[in-house]
Structure formats: C-alpha cells, structure tokens
C-alpha cells in the first residue's frame, strides 16, 4: 500500500475478482456518490472487471457494511483521515427493462359462474 497522505482518506479498492487499485485519496467530506462518480470517470484500465454503465451500480463496502448516504466518508463512515483503508467494490447488475419482465398471471375469478369456485357460502 502507498504511504498515507495527511488530511486525506486513502482508499485501496478491492474488486470482486481480487484485483486491487491503490493510491486513491479523498477529502474526508467526500460522499460515497462522489467516489463512485470519480471511479466511473477514471475507471482503472488495469482492472479486468467490466465497467458499469452508471455510477449508481457501484457499491462500496467497509467492514461488511454498504457505504451509503450523503455524509462524508471521514465523518459518517468514520474512515480514518491520514491512513489507507481497504474498501470492497461490488458492481450491481443493471435492472432488466420492464418490457423483458414476465407478465403477472391474470387474477383468478371467483364467485357465481366461475370455474374456480362454487360461489356459495354458508352463513350460520
């Protein structure tokens, strides 16, 4: 791991295939969305994981928890300033378009004249 930078949060990104990208430094006030956006714009060419279509597909994990929310990585997520931290990178699958989604079955008819029920009830 490279030497830490004073006043910055150092990140070492660990991808799902075991590859690593070291030497990324961020302001402690940087939000997770800012990191994902920068990662999208500067996708490492030496990483063989496919680049996602959108920054929203990038999920970052620290100590087994997804990092989310607008707060800074040094404040809300308590990543140490002036130190390097390993963060796992997971790429979410894009959602299937609605046209490809299977149709839901039609509701079953019940009541008089339907084939699924007798339409009778017993009142006591």
């Amino acid at each position: 791991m490279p030497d830490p930078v004073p006043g910055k949060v150092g990140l070492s990104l660990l991808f799902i295939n075991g590859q690593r990208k070291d030497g990324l430094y961020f302001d402690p006030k940087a939000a997770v969305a800012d990191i994902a956006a920068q990662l999208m714009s500067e996708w490492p060419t030496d990483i063989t994981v496919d680049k996602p279509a959108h920054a929203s597909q990038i999920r970052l994990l620290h100590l087994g928890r997804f990092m989310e929310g607008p707060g800074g990585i040094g404040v809300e997520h308590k990543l140490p300033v002036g130190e390097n931290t390993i963060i796992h990178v997971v790429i979410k699958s894009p959602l299937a378009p609605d046209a490809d989604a299977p149709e839901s079955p039609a509701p079953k008819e019940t009541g008089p004249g339907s084939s699924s029920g007798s339409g009778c009830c017993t009142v006591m």
Side-chain angles (χ1 to χ4, degrees):
M1 240 189 253
D3 291 331
V5 174
K8 299 284 184 182
V9 175
L11 297 183
S12 178
L13 303 179
L14 183 60
F15 290 84
I16 193 77
N17 64 354
Q19 289 181 297
R20 239 172 135 146
K21 180 66 179 173
D22 293 320
L24 302 170
Y25 300 97
F26 295 92
D27 187 275
K29 295 178 184 176
V32 173
D34 299 332
I35 295 169
Q38 182 172 335
L39 184 57
M40 274 296 292
S41 67
E42 300 172 12
W43 191 259
T45 56
D46 57 337
I47 299 295
T48 59
V49 173
D50 290 335
K51 180 179 177 181
H54 303 284
S56 62
Q57 291 176 254
I58 298 173
R59 303 291 307 267
L60 303 177
L61 285 97
H62 179 246
L63 297 177
R65 295 185 181 176
F66 283 108
M67 298 172 61
E68 299 174 318
I73 58 173
V75 178
E76 183 174 338
H77 301 288
K78 298 179 176 54
L79 297 185
V81 178
E83 295 182 26
N84 293 320
T85 302
I86 296 174
I87 299 294
H88 295 260
V89 178
V90 177
I91 309 298
K92 289 191 322 185
S93 299
L95 296 177
D98 291 336
D100 293 340
E103 293 183 24
S104 58
K108 294 182 179 180
E109 293 182 26
T110 57
S114 72
S115 61
S116 62
S118 66
C120 298
C121 60
T122 305
V123 179
M124 296 187 163

